[in-house]
Amino acid sequence: MMQRTAISVLGQRAPHPLRKAGPAAAVRSLYIHVPFCAHKCHYCDFYSLVDTQDRQEAFVSRLCSELEALSEATGAPGLETIFIGGGTPSLLGVPLWRRLLSELERRFDLWAMRPGGGGEFTVECNPESVTRELLDVLVAGGVSRVSMGAQSFNRRHLATLERRHDPAEVSRAIDAARAVGIRRQSIDLISSIPGQTVSELREDLSAAVGLGTSHLSCYTLTYEPRTAMTARLERGEFARADEETEIEMFEVTLGAMRAAGLERYEVSNFARPGQECRHNLAYWRQEEWLAAGPSASGHVAGHRWKNVPRLDDYLAGAGLPEVVDHEPPDARRALAERIMTGLRLAEGLAWEWVRGRAAEVCGAASAARLDRVAGAAMEREQATIVGGRLRLTDAGFLLADTIAADLMRALRA
């Protein structure tokens, strides 16, 4: 994704970068990774393993130990966003959820998560594992948002993706979340599934919009290395969608979302005004966040790291875990990351700040090269400057990664 600095520790175990850190006043977000799944979906490359329920209790005990250490290392910051993802967090047993939520309350200032506090606490769920008992515990623990993995409402396409829920379970789970008082719901959809037609995508979008949720994430299927989906593609079991179809689906999604009153705020994410995912915005704006659980990635004071990405290794430790892929502060890398993620947002980049920072960190020639790349994108009507911010147009969002890569190369040329 990014050229890494020579002093990074990549693929090797290293001490946690917060071991010697003081209070982290700027930290306002926490990500927790729950690695358990009932079944490994064929397209997924996130760290997960099939749950046999024999290690859930040990995992939560280890997680609580890490949360205590994170709190101590950073001065128990006031959290404004929490996101528990996976894996399938909704597979955790209800008593274990009670313990985890209680530990969060003990270790951090969660004033923002209380009614009227303005915080955002999201839990990812698969519809088939959502129960009323679970939802009651979540809402009592401050959870205000659920992200539901629908992916498609077409049984044939769910089978291709190796998703095992019934489409009707999505509606049931969303209704149940509303019934207990979880005010915000998001739905994940995937397009460009092998064999999927544009008409079928329209039906999926219509079904998702019909549930009345305030946020949709609409991702194009990607074939990640070492996933079952990629292996099946390489064996010739199906053909991937052609580029023309992917573009049409991208445009159909945008039109359907706008017609429903959901605006794009990131390449693949749409929301009603004020309903954007604040936690993900913290990532894309390069803010600071803590991370807990195996393979979870954090960012504090310019340090980036990833916890050990194997459950057995994670369970063997206590307190702050060992990390891999630790990247210490690096001004050039931080600017490149700001460009890469900021350009994916509808709000775009504060262009004069970017130019000024490029001149300071990389030299005046880099700032001039940035101007040339941005100018070329504007000539092609792929970008524009509005209110001092470089923003992609609808045509530009189709090439967001390419334009961002061109801008990042300007820093290194």
Side-chain angles (χ1 to χ4, degrees), residues 325-396:
D325 294 359
H326 172 220
E327 296 176 327
D330 179 270
R332 185 187 294 260
R333 189 200 74 229
L335 178 58
E337 289 170 346
R338 176 69 64 90
I339 289 171
M340 178 182 66
T341 59
L343 199 65
R344 295 178 63 86
L345 293 171
E347 67 188 22
L349 296 162
W351 192 239
E352 287 306 312
W353 181 90
V354 169
R355 292 182 70 260
R357 187 64 176 153
E360 178 183 353
V361 172
C362 308
S366 289
R369 288 191 293 268
L370 283 175
D371 274 335
R372 288 196 292 273
V373 173
M378 287 188 281
E379 287 179 7
R380 297 190 298 266
E381 298 186 342
Q382 295 168 347
T384 184
I385 290 183
V386 178
R389 303 186 72 88
L390 181 71
R391 299 179 179 177
L392 296 181
T393 63
D394 289 345

Side-chain angles (χ1 to χ4, degrees), residues 5-282:
T5 60
I7 55 176
S8 296
V9 178
L10 298 176
Q12 303 176 29
R13 301 287 182 83
H16 199 289
L18 294 182
R19 286 191 185 279
K20 297 182 179 180
V27 174
R28 291 289 178 266
S29 297
L30 167 68
Y31 173 73
I32 297 174
H33 190 78
V34 177
F36 304 114
C37 281
H39 167 73
K40 184 72 174 180
C41 299
H42 280 199
Y43 58 89
C44 180
D45 72 333
F46 293 120
Y47 175 65
S48 64
L49 65 162
V50 175
D51 177 33
T52 55
Q53 299 191 358
D54 60 324
R55 291 189 285 180
Q56 283 196 9
E57 187 169 354
F59 166 73
V60 171
S61 294
R62 176 67 184 91
L63 186 59
C64 289
S65 171
E66 184 182 9
L67 291 172
E68 178 181 6
L70 284 173
S71 174
E72 292 174 350
T74 56
L79 298 178
E80 296 177 1
T81 76
I82 301 173
F83 196 108
I84 302 183
T88 308
S90 49
L91 280 180
L92 276 184
V94 169
L96 296 176
W97 267 109
R98 290 194 183 97
R99 182 179 175 189
L100 171 56
L101 294 168
S102 176
E103 189 71 14
L104 285 169
E105 182 71 34
R106 288 179 60 202
R107 301 302 177 185
F108 297 94
D109 177 0
L110 299 187
W111 180 89
M113 304 303 164
R114 300 188 180 104
E120 177 189 274
F121 190 160
T122 302
V123 173
E124 286 186 339
C125 300
N126 278 359
E128 71 275 18
S129 56
V130 171
T131 66
R132 176 60 184 260
E133 183 184 16
L134 169 65
L135 292 171
D136 282 337
V137 169
L138 294 183
V139 76
V143 173
S144 57
R145 185 176 182 271
V146 290
S147 179
M148 202 69 63
Q151 316 313 350
S152 177
F153 292 87
N154 183 303
R155 287 183 174 84
R156 179 167 57 88
H157 299 320
L158 288 173
T160 299
L161 296 171
E162 285 286 324
R163 299 286 291 188
R164 295 187 170 180
H165 67 267
D166 185 277
E169 291 178 308
V170 179
S171 176
R172 179 195 61 78
I174 292 291
D175 288 345
R178 289 189 180 125
V180 302
I182 295 179
R183 303 181 306 278
R184 299 173 60 195
Q185 309 92 33
S186 177
I187 289 177
D188 286 358
L189 288 179
I190 293 178
S191 65
S192 299
I193 302 167
Q196 184 183 38
T197 66
V198 173
S199 176
E200 287 170 336
L201 174 62
R202 290 184 193 275
E203 292 171 359
D204 274 353
L205 293 167
S206 177
V209 167
L211 295 178
T213 57
S214 58
H215 186 285
L216 267 76
S217 298
C218 305
Y219 302 108
T220 300
L221 177 65
T222 55
Y223 295 87
E224 302 292 350
R226 297 180 298 279
T227 61
M229 201 79 181
T230 299
R232 290 166 62 195
L233 177 71
E234 291 171 348
R235 290 197 299 266
E237 293 184 17
F238 48 70
R240 67 187 302 161
D242 58 57
E243 184 177 2
E244 188 175 299
T245 299
E246 286 195 355
I247 291 173
E248 185 177 2
M249 287 184 170
F250 195 79
E251 292 172 342
V252 163
T253 298
L254 177 60
M257 294 298 97
R258 285 181 173 165
L262 283 77
E263 285 296 324
R264 171 192 276 147
Y265 71 98
E266 191 270 344
V267 172
S268 302
N269 286 271
F270 303 82
R272 300 192 190 282
Q275 298 299 302
E276 300 84 0
C277 179
R278 289 179 55 198
H279 186 87
N280 285 342
L281 282 172

